[in-house]
Amino acid sequence: MRLGPAIKRLAIASGLYRTARGLARRVRGRERAYFQADVGFYRALLPACALCFDVGANIGEKSEALLRAGCRVVAVEPHPLVVPELRARCGWSPDWHLVVAAAGSRSAVATLYAHAAHGQSSLAPDWEEGRVIATFPVPVVTLDALADHFGRPDYCKLDVEGWELEVLLGLTHPVPLLSFEFHLTKRDIRKTDACLELLAAMGPAEVNVTPAERAEFHWPQWRPLADFPVWFPGELSRTLPGHPYGDIYVRRTGQQAGETAPVPH
């Protein structure tokens, strides 16, 4: 059972979205297993009541899993066409807050390029090859501004379709745990290198990787961030299962984790 566009709109308008979503998940075992895997992954990874920034929340799949795992969530999503479903999925929880904006290097107004596949929408005009169906002016906030307002997050998840470096340029204090998407393409490898160099400048850290759409780490042990040129992209290109993309997780190490001096930009 899939919730098609017409059924989604009707369920959202009638206030029955969560009921319909729950029924669809019970009927579709694969979707239920995927959700449960996400919940279990976050429960094992994060402390109880962790404050999480879901930057690029889209329709709220990760926000919902984080809430079920016992976390507090600030969802950041600029796309006006997905916000109704995002609110319907997660707005019931007092531990969930929505910021209808994009994240970037400074406060501004930017253009969102909306793709037919909503999850590919981006502030980058040349991201992927999906069909752009509309453009929207959207406000931009920085991670620093979000942290000033909501508190420093325990975990920050970035899924911003090629805009990761710009988002990280708006962060001057280290976050205990942060993840962002990578793709093993020439252009994206350069961007990933720049993101990791920026994070390395904030102090000691270690890394791990989750393969595309999998709630499990690729390596049994975390690796020093300082060693990333040894394994990226060479080893990942040879060993990463499935599609050539995933998420890199960066966590701070040692007693000074989270207390490193701000990094000037």
Side-chain angles (χ1 to χ4, degrees), residues 66-243:
L66 286 162
L67 288 172
R68 183 69 64 86
C71 299
R72 297 170 294 134
V73 181
V74 176
V76 183
E77 175 55 54
H79 198 323
L81 300 183
V82 304
V83 164
E85 184 173 356
L86 174 59
R87 288 186 190 274
R89 186 186 288 254
C90 301
W92 57 271
S93 173
D95 290 325
W96 184 81
H97 301 277
L98 174 61
V99 178
V100 183
S105 60
R106 59 187 178 86
S107 298
V109 174
T111 299
L112 175 73
Y113 297 87
H115 286 227
H118 293 322
Q120 294 180 353
S121 300
S122 175
L123 296 188
D126 57 347
W127 175 247
E128 297 293 334
E129 297 178 355
R131 181 169 62 90
V132 174
I133 60 171
T135 58
F136 300 101
V138 297
V140 179
V141 298
T142 66
L143 292 180
D144 278 351
L146 290 169
D148 287 343
H149 185 78
F150 293 101
R152 190 189 72 167
D154 298 288
Y155 169 50
C156 183
K157 181 228 92 180
L158 307 183
D159 188 357
V160 291
E161 306 304 311
W163 208 245
E164 292 82 4
L165 181 58
E166 286 76 10
V167 175
L168 290 175
L169 286 169
L171 176 68
T172 57
H173 295 270
V175 173
L177 179 68
L178 183 146
S179 68
F180 65 94
E181 191 174 80
F182 72 92
H183 292 252
L184 293 175
T185 63
K186 183 177 293 186
R187 183 181 71 171
D188 204 69
I189 286 169
R190 290 195 296 269
K191 183 236 6 179
T192 299
D193 284 341
C195 289
L196 291 171
E197 288 173 5
L198 193 63
L199 292 169
M202 295 184 182
E206 55 190 9
V207 295
N208 211 325
V209 170
T210 55
E213 312 306 328
R214 295 194 185 188
E216 60 186 14
F217 284 122
H218 185 49
W219 296 313
Q221 303 293 330
W222 291 70
R223 300 183 175 189
L225 174 55
D227 293 344
F228 82 84
V230 175
W231 52 263
F232 185 83
E235 180 182 329
L236 277 184
S237 298
R238 296 189 300 271
T239 64
L240 195 70
H243 299 290

Side-chain angles (χ1 to χ4, degrees), residues 11-29:
I12 290 169
S14 64
L16 296 174
Y17 177 86
R18 286 191 67 214
T19 300
R21 177 76 263 154
L23 177 60
R25 186 172 289 145
R26 285 195 296 271
V27 171
R28 303 187 70 227

